[in-house]
Amino acid sequence: MKTKELYKEVTSMLYLIRNDEKKLSQVFNLLEELDAGTPSHEIPSPASSDYSSIVMQIADAVNEGYICFFNPDTEEIEQVACEGYFHPVEIAEQNEDMIDEFDLNYMKWDHYIRIDPPQKEDLRLIMEKYVNEMDDNKLSAQLRNVLETDQPLRNFLKILKEAAKEDVWNVFKKQEIINYVKERLAEVELPEE
């Protein structure tokens, strides 16, 4: 049963016994017993402080071109280099070094969520969104033209640097990467015990 369905069912049952303290007490005792022996496989709630920290760590890593593995049982995060962001020789060397140096365990975890860096299409959409939200019509026109070139990212960054808008872009992009990570975490349904 999916978590949302289970939540609705349990909520309706609790509503029915809301005035019976003895039955409520029995339910809560049973829930405590179950919780003590079972890992939750739950991603921290977006309202929790842990959630923000986890999202930020993953966002920083995927923004730099790393694939992240998040273990919802232990809230561990591990990362490896991603093809397409690094030279193939660098990837093999870097991943081997990371696995040895940091004693990576993600391949041994029972459950994990894999979050890849945004693909070129995702980055293009972020750039388009940035251009569409700009107030500077002249700069936005230049950037729109750049998006139609063979190497839009490099040219896009060059124009932003020349216009001294690189910092504004980086803040915008970071927020979009954070949203990207949140979406990936929300999409995942972990197996139930």
Side-chain angles (χ1 to χ4, degrees):
M1 182 177 291
K2 292 182 181 178
T3 305
K4 289 180 184 178
E5 293 169 358
L6 183 61
Y7 176 79
K8 287 180 183 177
E9 189 173 325
V10 168
T11 304
S12 64
M13 289 177 187
L14 289 173
Y15 182 78
L16 292 173
I17 62 170
R18 71 186 179 282
N19 296 325
D20 189 333
E21 287 185 36
K22 184 177 178 182
K23 286 183 181 176
L24 280 173
S25 178
Q26 290 173 333
V27 168
F28 288 122
N29 288 338
L30 178 61
L31 288 172
E32 285 177 1
E33 287 176 32
L34 289 172
D35 189 45
T38 308
S40 68
H41 304 301
E42 291 286 326
I43 298 167
S45 158
S48 80
S49 61
D50 289 345
Y51 179 81
S52 294
S53 174
I54 288 165
V55 168
M56 290 303 290
Q57 287 177 52
I58 295 171
D60 287 341
V62 298
N63 191 36
E64 295 295 323
Y66 292 94
I67 299 169
C68 283
F69 298 89
F70 171 66
N71 183 332
D73 299 328
T74 62
E75 297 184 4
E76 290 174 90
I77 299 169
E78 294 185 346
Q79 64 192 40
V80 295
C82 178
E83 289 183 38
Y85 280 81
F86 299 94
H87 186 275
V89 174
E90 288 177 352
I91 292 173
E93 290 172 1
Q94 192 168 14
N95 285 347
E96 189 175 310
D97 290 345
M98 289 177 77
I99 289 169
D100 292 342
E101 183 178 340
F102 298 109
D103 193 30
L104 297 182
N105 296 313
Y106 70 90
M107 290 182 272
K108 300 172 192 167
W109 292 343
D110 290 334
H111 307 102
Y112 64 81
I113 300 167
R114 176 185 168 140
I115 301 178
D116 290 284
Q119 300 301 308
K120 288 180 182 179
E121 302 82 40
D122 299 316
L123 291 174
R124 182 184 215 79
L125 291 173
I126 292 171
M127 290 186 291
E128 287 174 4
K129 185 175 179 181
Y130 178 75
V131 170
N132 290 335
E133 293 182 12
M134 290 183 75
D135 293 331
D136 185 335
N137 291 334
K138 183 180 175 185
L139 183 58
S140 67
Q142 282 182 297
L143 293 172
R144 264 187 238 294
N145 289 336
V146 165
L147 289 173
E148 303 305 319
T149 65
D150 289 338
Q151 296 184 347
L153 184 58
R154 184 174 10 163
N155 296 327
F156 191 86
L157 294 175
K158 181 181 175 189
I159 289 174
L160 287 174
K161 189 173 187 173
E162 290 169 0
K165 298 285 186 182
E166 203 172 16
D167 290 341
V168 177
W169 158 250
N170 287 331
V171 170
F172 181 86
K173 181 183 171 203
K174 177 69 176 216
Q175 186 56 53
E176 290 299 308
I177 299 290
I178 290 168
N179 294 340
Y180 169 84
V181 168
K182 288 179 180 179
E183 288 170 10
R184 296 305 164 279
L185 289 173
E187 289 173 355
V188 175
E189 286 193 30
L190 294 165
E192 295 182 23
E193 288 292 315

